[in-house]
Amino acid sequence: MTRAAGIDRPDVIASGAGRPLVLAHGAGGAVDLNFGDVIAALSARRRLVGVNYPGSGSTPRQSRPLELEALADGLVAAAVADGHDRFPILGLSLGCAVAVTAAQRHPDRVSGLFLTVGFARADAQIRLVVDVWRHLAATDPTTLARLLVALSSPHVLSTLDPAATERAVVDTAASLPDGGPDQALLAATLDITTDAAAVSVPTTVVVAGQDRIVLPTTTRALARTIPGARVLEYPDAGHIFTPSEASTWIDDIGDFLDTHGL
């Protein structure tokens, strides 16, 4: 099988001890940012391994367009280098496509998939969000942060008074990685439909019912494409989970791993 170039000088995040769980983060995110609660909760009994994509963490941004195959190969290579022959992957948003691609390119390595707010190909919502994201990242990053906060779930927005809203904007702006626009462009242009239809490992797909970045109908379409995928619905969740939603998510991840002996 042809191998992609991988990730140049990858920033590998590894924590904990025990059986492995590999982490594939979302566009505009990072391993610690997207999976900090998971790492804190599971590292006592799991070895968590992830790679920051180019432009996130200390992985340098690259001049060429990002390739899904390279991100997948880089993720698998990091897990193997950490000493693991076979492992499940937890994907978030864009990371779901990375995880599915890894499963198809490395069937001897990937043992299961837990896919959260993912998609097989971008719909109009994703494409339009990415268009605005990339424009604002280049011209007005603070307004980009305001857009991302505005795309939170209605439940979260209903809890924010003006001061809390401004804190959320400041925190979001501070977390935006340099490579976010590159990662978002990849998200808007990928199509893993064929690979998803060929998945043969245990798979769970989490749908966020109030997601306004990856619409719940789009995540359900991903689940329908994967043979035998189990669907978990979080009716009130948005693209980024609240602490209570993250707690449920972590419990569901643990149940998935235990049920399938992963």
Side-chain angles (χ1 to χ4, degrees), residues 12 15 27 53 68 71 79 86 103 137 159 175 197 209 211 218 225 232 236 245 248 252:
V12 178
S15 179
Y53 307 150
L68 202 54
L71 299 186
R86 193 160 167 81
T159 68
S175 72
D211 196 334
T218 301
T225 304
L232 297 178
D236 297 325
E245 290 161 354
T248 299
D252 286 336

Side-chain angles (χ1 to χ4, degrees), residues 18-253:
R19 300 180 73 177
L21 176 61
V22 175
L23 309 173
H25 72 76
V31 175
D32 289 341
L33 180 65
N34 288 167
F35 298 114
D37 290 340
V38 174
I39 293 169
L42 298 184
S43 60
R45 58 189 177 93
R46 286 273 171 181
R47 179 68 169 174
L48 291 305
V49 181
V51 177
N52 284 319
Y53 307 150
S56 287
S58 62
T59 303
R61 191 174 183 181
Q62 63 184 38
S63 57
R64 63 186 184 277
L66 298 185
E67 297 179 349
L68 202 54
E69 295 82 2
L71 299 186
D73 288 358
L75 186 66
V76 169
V80 172
D82 199 60
H84 313 293
D85 292 328
R86 193 160 167 81
F87 37 81
I89 303 179
L90 169 62
L92 179 72
S93 194
L94 169 63
C96 296
V98 175
V100 169
T101 302
Q104 293 311 109
R105 289 176 65 80
H106 304 275
D108 57 328
R109 298 294 190 188
V110 179
S111 58
L113 300 172
F114 196 97
L115 308 178
T116 307
V117 296
F119 52 97
R121 60 180 170 224
D123 59 11
Q125 179 83 352
I126 294 170
R127 294 192 301 270
L128 289 168
V129 168
V130 168
D131 285 347
V132 177
W133 181 342
R134 287 171 52 79
H135 173 75
L136 291 176
T139 61
D140 191 348
T142 299
T143 299
L144 171 59
R146 290 188 178 280
L147 169 68
L148 295 175
V149 172
L151 290 171
S152 301
S153 72
H155 169 71
V156 168
L157 291 172
S158 71
T159 68
L160 300 180
D161 62 21
T165 301
E166 290 307 309
R167 286 195 300 272
V169 169
V170 169
D171 290 346
T172 299
S175 72
L176 294 173
D178 290 343
D182 308 329
Q183 298 164 22
L185 179 61
L186 176 60
T189 54
L190 65 83
D191 186 343
I192 60 160
T193 304
T194 300
D195 283 349
V199 166
S200 60
V201 295
T203 302
T204 289
V205 177
V206 174
V207 178
Q210 298 298 321
D211 196 334
R212 298 197 288 179
I213 295 177
V214 179
L215 298 176
T217 51
T218 301
T219 302
R220 293 186 192 110
L222 168 65
R224 287 194 301 271
T225 304
I226 298 172
R230 181 189 180 204
V231 177
L232 297 178
E233 297 272 354
Y234 294 5
D236 297 325
H239 199 65
I240 303 299
F241 296 161
T242 65
S244 63
E245 290 161 354
S247 179
T248 299
W249 183 45
I250 291 164
D251 288 344
D252 286 336
I253 294 166

